[in-house]
Amino acid sequence: MNASPSSPTATKPSFLRGLFQGEITEALLFPYPATLDARRPEEAATVHRLIAALNAMVASGLIDPRQMDEAESIGEPVIKAFAEAGLLALTTPKEYGGLGLSASAYARVFGAVASVDASLGVLIGVHCGLGGKALVLFGNDEQKARYLPALARGEMLAAYALTEPETGSDAQHIVTTARRNAEDTGWLLNGRKHWIGNGQRAGMITTFAQTPIVRNGETIMRPTAFIVRPDMPGFRIDGTVAKLGIRASTQAELVFEDCFVPDDHVLGEVGKGFRVAVNALNAGRLSLAAGCASGCKRLLAEFTRYAEARTQFGGPLASFEITQRKMATIAAETYAVDAMVGALAAALDEDSVDASLEAACAKVFASELVWRTADELVQLAGGRGFVKPWPYERYLRDARINRIFEGANEILRLFIGLNGIQGPAEELKELSGALKNPIQNWVLVSSYAAERVASALGRKDRFDVTFHSSLRQHAEFVEKHVAALAAATQKMIMTHKKEILHRQLVVERLADMAIELYARATTIARTQRLIDERGAEACAREIALTDLFCIESGRRFRALRMELDGDAGEAIDELRRDIAARIRTEHGYGASDALMDVAVPPLPAWSLTKAEQQAAVARKSL
C-alpha cells in the first residue's frame, strides 16, 4: 500500500534542492503554469468529458459510497461503467487504445474520482498509476501489445505487488526471491505480498523479487520486476484484509510458491527492479495530493453547509469565531496545496526537472491537511460526526490512509531532509579539504567566500520577479526564510557531521521548513499569475487566502527555526530521548498515578503471523 521514496535525479534542476543551499531558482516556478484548459485544450476537453461521466454515475445512484462502504466492495457494474467511460484507460498510450493523459490531466481526473469516494481513487490509482504505469514505462513492445489494450478496455485490472509482511514497501530489501527453473526458461518466485490493491481481481500484476546477478565477479541479490498473471502455476490468493477505511477497495494477500514466470514476463532488466518500483511514484504522489486537495474542497463545502444549518446558542455555528477560524484556515491551506499540485503537475509534464522532493512535499502537506479537515468536520458535527448513518465518520476513516500511502509521511520527511542536505554537505566537505591548503585552493576558497558575501548582500537568495504590492512582503519573507533554511542546514551539518544521518528530529525540522517554503512559494506564484491575468480587484479572494496562508506558514517556519537555534532544540531532543529510553525500559508509561495505583490489565497481546515470522527469517538470510 505504501511505497519507498524514489531516488533523486541529480542531473536535473530542482527548486526545492536549491532552497537548502540558499538559492531561489524562480525560473522553475515563475511564471506559474497556466491551467490545463489553456495549455492543452484538447486534453482538457477529454478531462471535462470524463468528469461529466463520473458525475452522471453519482447522480444516477450507480456510485453510492455509503453502500459500497457497507458492502466493502466496488460492484462490477461500477467497474464496467468506468471502463466504458474511459476511466480505466487514463495512462495507457493512445496507440494501445488508451487516452494517454498527461500528469496534469491524470491528476485532475484522479482528484475528481477520489473526492467522490476514496476507494474508487484506490481502484484507479493502482490500475492506472502503479500496475499499468509500470508496464507503460518499462514494458517492451510485445508486453505492451499483449496487456495494455485489455487494461484500457477494462477486460482486466492491474495490480502492483511490492509490499511484504516484514519489509513493508522497502523495494531494495524485499524478501521474495526468484531463481531460474531447471529448464532455464524462466523464473520460480517464492514469497508473499500483502495489502495489494486490486490483487484479488487483477489480471496483470506487477511484482518484485530478489534475483541473483553477477557484479565484479561476485553474485549478489538485486530486485527484478515481473509481470504475473493469476493463472500462472504456483500463484494463489490468501484472502483479503479488513480495514479501518477505504473499505470498498480490496487489498489481497498474494502468495508465490514456486510460481513459474517465463522470461518474456520480466519487466525491464534483471536486477533493475528498484528503478521500476519507484519510477512511477512521483506521479503517484502527485495524484494522491490532487485527490486530497479535491477532497478538502468537498469537505470544506460540507463543513460550511453544516455550520450554516446547525443552530446552537441562538445562532448558526458558522457565526461563531472559532468556527470561522477553522473555515478560513482550511480554505487557505487548501488554496496552498492546490497551488503545489498545479506547479508539480506542470513540472512532471515537462519532465525537465527533478521533482522528487517537490512531489514528496505535496504528498505530505496534502495528506495531513485532508486528515485535519475531516477531523474538524467530525468535531463540528458533534455526536452526528461519530455515528452512522451520517457520513462524517466515513470521511475521517477514509482520509487516514493518505498519510501512509505512497510513502509514510515520516519517511518522506527524512527523504526530503536528507536529500536536501546532500548539496550543502558536499560543498562543505570540499571546502573543508581546500582549507587545509588555502593557497593552492585559493580559487575554490575565494569563490565560496564570494558566495557567502553575495548571500549576505541579498543577491543570491532573492526573487528576480516583479510582485504585486499585495504579495511583495510575503515574497520578502520567503527570501529571508530561504537564507535561514540554508544557514540552519549548514549549521546542522557542521554540528552533527555524519551523525546527522541518525538525527531524525533535526532532519525532520529541516524538511518541515522546506515544505513550508515550497508551499508559500507556489502559493505566491499562483496568485501573482492570477493577478496578471485578471487584475488585483478580481483576485480579492485569492489574495486574502494567500495572506492568511503566508502569515500562518511563516509562524510555523519561525517556530521550527527556533528549535534549531542555540542549545534549546538539542536540549529538548535529549529530554525526549531520555524519556523514550525510560518508556522502553519500563515497557510503557511507568510513572505513578495521580489518584491511586491500581492493577490495570494490559491490552491483548498480538504476535507476528506465521508468514511474517518466515519473512523475518528470510530477510536475515539475505
Side-chain angles (χ1 to χ4, degrees):
M1 291 168 69
N2 62 315
S4 307
S6 59
S7 298
T9 309
T11 58
K12 295 181 179 179
S14 165
F15 181 82
L16 204 82
R17 288 180 193 279
L19 299 183
F20 285 90
Q21 295 177 283
E23 298 174 353
I24 299 176
T25 315
E26 68 274 344
L28 300 179
L29 200 57
F30 290 86
Y32 188 84
T35 63
L36 195 62
D37 294 276
R39 284 190 288 132
R40 304 183 181 204
E42 291 185 3
E43 189 176 49
T46 299
V47 171
H48 286 300
R49 176 185 65 77
L50 291 168
I51 294 178
L54 174 69
N55 292 338
M57 294 178 206
V58 176
S60 70
L62 176 64
I63 294 177
D64 184 344
R66 176 182 170 187
Q67 183 277 329
M68 291 192 302
D69 181 74
E70 292 291 338
E72 298 191 8
S73 176
I74 299 171
E76 291 299 327
V78 175
I79 296 177
K80 181 180 179 182
F82 269 34
E84 292 174 350
L87 287 165
L88 299 181
L90 303 178
T91 57
T92 301
K94 293 180 180 179
E95 58 264 37
Y96 296 103
L99 298 176
L101 296 186
S102 65
S104 296
Y106 174 65
R108 179 69 284 161
V109 176
F110 179 88
V113 172
S115 67
V116 167
D117 183 78
S119 294
L120 292 175
V122 174
L123 173 75
I124 294 292
V126 173
H127 177 79
C128 297
L130 289 175
K133 188 69 172 181
L135 180 59
V136 170
L137 293 175
F138 293 96
N140 57 40
D141 291 342
E142 182 180 349
Q143 291 168 340
K144 291 178 181 179
R146 181 171 186 175
Y147 289 110
L148 287 179
L151 294 177
R153 292 191 296 265
E155 295 171 0
M156 64 171 62
L157 291 178
Y160 182 85
L162 172 64
T163 307
E164 297 183 346
E166 176 63 20
T167 61
S169 297
D170 183 351
Q172 290 280 38
H173 298 100
I174 54 173
V175 298
T176 296
T177 59
R179 69 178 190 277
R180 299 296 296 174
N181 68 335
E183 297 75 19
D184 200 30
T185 58
W187 299 83
L188 296 176
L189 273 62
N190 283 279
R192 177 180 290 261
K193 307 288 182 176
H194 70 170
W195 304 336
I196 307 306
N198 299 345
Q200 89 294 351
R201 67 205 311 176
M204 188 225 84
I205 303 167
T206 299
T207 195
F208 304 86
Q210 298 281 6
T211 55
I213 65 169
V214 177
R215 182 174 296 174
N216 298 325
E218 180 184 358
T219 299
I220 58 175
M221 301 294 284
R222 288 293 182 270
T224 295
F226 297 91
I227 298 172
V228 171
R229 297 195 316 270
D231 61 351
M232 288 178 171
F235 172 86
R236 66 181 174 89
I237 298 169
D238 198 19
T240 58
V241 295
K243 306 181 299 298
L244 171 70
I246 55 168
R247 290 179 177 175
S249 70
T250 46
Q251 279 67 41
E253 306 279 340
L254 309 183
V255 179
F256 307 125
E257 295 173 330
D258 280 346
C259 177
F260 175 69
V261 181
D263 282 328
D264 62 3
H265 278 59
V266 171
L267 188 59
E269 300 179 51
V270 173
K272 298 293 182 65
F274 181 76
R275 181 167 174 251
V276 179
V278 302
N279 201 272
L281 289 181
N282 287 342
R285 289 173 187 147
L286 165 64
S287 58
L288 189 144
C292 292
S294 296
C296 287
K297 295 173 187 177
R298 291 176 67 97
L299 291 173
L300 180 57
E302 178 61 18
F303 186 103
T304 306
R305 187 201 65 78
Y306 190 94
E308 294 288 4
R310 181 65 170 164
T311 300
Q312 290 279 294
F313 308 110
L317 294 178
S319 67
F320 301 151
E321 285 191 346
I322 291 177
T323 304
Q324 292 170 5
R325 169 179 57 78
K326 294 180 178 182
M327 293 167 69
T329 297
I330 293 169
E333 295 188 354
T334 300
Y335 181 75
V337 77
D338 211 28
M340 296 167 79
V341 166
L344 176 60
L348 292 178
D349 283 340
E350 293 297 325
D351 195 30
S352 59
V353 300
D354 169 18
S356 57
L357 299 190
E358 288 83 347
C361 286
K363 187 272 178 180
V364 170
F365 190 97
S367 62
E368 295 183 353
L369 174 58
V370 77
W371 168 254
R372 291 195 303 271
T373 303
D375 183 60
E376 290 291 11
L377 180 52
V378 168
Q379 185 70 18
L380 180 79
R384 292 176 177 84
F386 199 70
V387 300
K388 298 178 180 180
W390 288 276
Y392 311 120
E393 55 87 25
R394 172 165 54 82
Y395 296 157
L396 187 69
R397 288 190 285 107
D398 285 348
R400 184 59 184 87
I401 190 60
N402 293 299
R403 290 162 58 192
I404 301 171
F405 266 158
E406 303 289 5
N409 286 2
E410 292 80 6
I411 300 301
L412 289 184
R413 281 186 164 92
L414 297 180
F415 170 66
I416 294 165
L418 290 175
N419 278 282
I421 67 176
Q422 281 184 359
E426 286 301 314
E427 184 179 71
L428 290 172
K429 179 181 178 182
E430 185 179 8
L431 178 67
S432 177
L435 287 174
K436 295 177 181 178
N437 194 340
I439 303 301
Q440 181 178 342
N441 296 286
W442 178 249
V443 174
L444 174 63
V445 175
S446 60
S447 172
Y448 182 84
E451 287 182 352
R452 296 304 96 196
V453 172
S455 179
L457 293 176
R459 292 198 300 266
K460 187 177 181 183
D461 53 358
R462 291 290 186 266
F463 285 107
D464 187 17
V465 176
T466 301
F467 291 101
H468 184 266
S469 59
S470 63
L471 303 176
R472 193 172 300 124
Q473 187 176 37
H474 296 315
E476 290 172 355
F477 272 110
V478 169
E479 293 169 345
K480 293 177 182 178
H481 288 171
V482 168
L485 172 62
T489 299
Q490 291 180 7
K491 180 180 179 182
M492 293 302 102
I493 293 170
M494 298 298 289
T495 299
H496 300 291
K497 300 181 175 61
K498 291 183 179 180
E499 185 64 20
I500 198 169
L501 296 174
H502 308 291
R503 300 306 302 272
Q504 293 184 354
L505 297 179
V506 169
V507 175
E508 181 183 53
R509 292 187 188 105
L510 293 173
D512 281 334
M513 292 165 75
I515 292 171
E516 293 291 351
L517 285 173
Y518 182 60
R520 257 188 286 164
T522 54
T523 300
I524 293 168
R526 182 189 181 194
T527 304
Q528 181 61 55
R529 174 158 195 135
L530 293 176
I531 292 173
D532 292 339
E533 292 177 344
R534 305 176 188 171
E537 291 185 5
C539 296
R541 178 189 292 107
E542 289 82 2
I543 291 172
L545 291 170
T546 303
D547 281 343
L548 180 58
F549 178 74
C550 286
I551 291 169
E552 294 186 338
S553 173
R555 290 174 177 173
R556 292 190 294 268
F557 183 95
R558 287 189 288 273
L560 291 163
R561 184 186 62 193
M562 288 177 63
E563 288 200 4
L564 291 175
D565 284 344
D567 297 327
E570 180 59 31
I572 191 68
D573 288 350
E574 181 58 35
L575 181 60
R576 287 167 175 149
R577 288 190 290 269
D578 177 67
I579 292 174
R582 295 173 186 271
I583 293 170
R584 294 175 67 183
T585 299
E586 297 161 358
H587 304 289
Y589 181 63
S592 59
D593 192 273
L595 293 176
M596 60 180 293
D597 284 315
V598 295
V600 178
L603 292 171
W606 61 270
S607 61
L608 294 176
T609 66
K610 183 178 180 180
E612 290 170 332
Q613 293 172 6
Q614 292 172 343
V617 172
R619 183 180 185 183
K620 291 178 181 178
S621 68
L622 286 179

